[in-house]
Amino acid sequence: MRLLICKNYTELSLKAAQIVAGQVTMNPQSVLGLATGSTPVGMYSELVKMYEQGRVDFSEIRTFNLDEYYPISADNPQSYHYFMEENLFSKINIKKENTHILDGKCTDTAKECDKFEKLIAANGGIDLQILGIGQNGHIGFNEPAENLNLLTHLTSLTQSTVKANSRFFSDVSKVPTLALTMGIGTILKARKIIILANGESKKEAVKSLLTDSISTGLPASILKVHSDVTLICDNEACPNF
Ligand code: GLP
């Protein structure tokens, strides 16, 4: 795992955006795995700037989002559908039909997850996967557990994640306790992965990721078996060794 330490969130966002833009420039038909949450907001806004300046063309890219709450409708401002529309899709020249986000309103979750896996494979797999990291080391919504799921699946959120994500909701009771998420195997199949972490609240997770051995209790640690992962963190999230 490569480690890129940035002096602050602005630099982290710019570096991450440059990596994504580089991927899209090298292969305009790239398949990107996208993340939500507060971490990638700055990166998306840098990508929008690059698009407005005519430096990147997103017209041929295809995207798959990591996860979505369940149940939730796409027009709910807390949904990841809404987030992607607000932060990226409505501001660049991506084709709507080339974007894929798990349906938080589907009735048959197993079918929806299976369809998603098949669609990723039919598009040739993910070229570049962007990840954030939860305070407890989760990636996507793969929470610490004795066993981790390999494929896209329905999962329950831990109390700590519900609490951490409650900052986006009017009340903690409004946070869905279930989600659909790519599995660990889905993520590991990506050819290249970048994982972003900023702020003091991520310091412990980053420290465990860098120093502890691989364990299902820290889902992000599984990334160490992948040959092309770059952890990009800012000074606040980077532990002092
Ligand atoms: C959320 C998302 C993850 C995200 C993580 C960190 O629960 N499911 O994909 O990476 O938690 O979120 P944030 O960037 O807001 O700290």
Side-chain angles (χ1 to χ4, degrees):
M1 184 177 292
R2 247 174 261 117
L3 174 62
L4 208 58
I5 303 170
C6 302
K7 62 176 186 292
N8 53 32
Y9 180 66
T10 308
E11 188 182 307
L12 173 149
S13 302
L14 187 59
K15 285 246 155 65
Q18 283 166 343
I19 292 170
V20 176
Q23 171 68 41
V24 175
T25 304
M26 291 280 283
N27 175 9
Q29 294 177 346
S30 288
V31 178
L32 303 181
L34 301 179
T36 47
S38 53
T39 311
V41 169
M43 176 194 76
Y44 290 136
S45 100
E46 289 298 335
L47 286 170
V48 169
K49 271 191 235 160
M50 289 176 185
Y51 165 69
E52 287 169 351
Q53 292 162 357
R55 291 159 59 201
V56 214
D57 174 17
F58 295 102
S59 63
E60 297 304 322
I61 64 158
R62 291 153 294 158
T63 63
F64 288 87
N65 264 77
L66 262 180
D67 47 15
E68 177 58 288
Y69 289 113
Y70 187 83
I72 202 162
S73 58
D75 59 1
N76 183 324
Q78 311 310 334
S79 75
Y80 290 163
H81 276 81
Y82 197 94
F83 174 101
M84 289 312 305
E85 212 44 45
E86 280 286 295
N87 287 285
L88 189 68
F89 297 160
S90 64
K91 298 177 173 167
I92 59 170
N93 63 338
I94 193 167
K95 293 189 185 108
K96 185 84 190 149
E97 65 270 26
N98 287 347
T99 66
H100 307 280
I101 307 180
L102 287 151
D103 179 7
K105 267 290 183 209
C106 65
T107 45
D108 187 339
T109 56
K111 197 168 156 200
E112 174 67 9
C113 293
D114 185 51
K115 192 175 90 187
F116 196 71
E117 285 285 337
K118 289 190 170 127
L119 212 51
I120 295 175
N123 276 275
I126 294 170
D127 294 304
L128 173 64
Q129 176 68 55
I130 297 143
L131 296 175
I133 183 169
Q135 289 172 23
N136 62 2
H138 72 238
I139 47 175
F141 271 127
N142 293 276
E143 297 276 34
E146 213 165 296
N147 294 301
L148 299 177
N149 277 277
L150 287 177
L151 300 176
T152 301
H153 60 284
L154 176 70
T155 188
S156 351
L157 308 189
T158 60
Q159 264 316 105
S160 73
T161 296
V162 168
K163 195 166 158 244
N165 289 5
S166 66
R167 66 192 194 278
F168 300 113
F169 293 79
S170 56
D171 186 274
V172 68
S173 67
K174 300 273 188 325
V175 186
T177 54
L178 298 174
L180 298 167
T181 181
M182 283 185 193
I184 291 292
T186 325
I187 294 170
L188 284 179
K189 269 188 265 172
R191 292 178 190 95
K192 185 185 275 289
I193 299 174
I194 57 173
I195 175 161
L196 318 178
N198 74 288
E200 184 73 31
S201 69
K202 299 293 169 69
K203 200 171 191 157
E204 273 312 305
V206 170
K207 187 173 180 194
S208 308
L209 173 59
L210 293 172
T211 56
D212 296 357
S213 46
I214 295 174
S215 96
T216 60
L218 189 84
S221 67
I222 319 282
L223 297 172
K224 292 187 204 186
V225 303
H226 193 284
S227 61
D228 194 348
V229 180
T230 305
L231 166 64
I232 311 177
C233 60
D234 70 354
N235 259 329
E236 284 186 21
C238 189
N240 313 313
F241 293 105

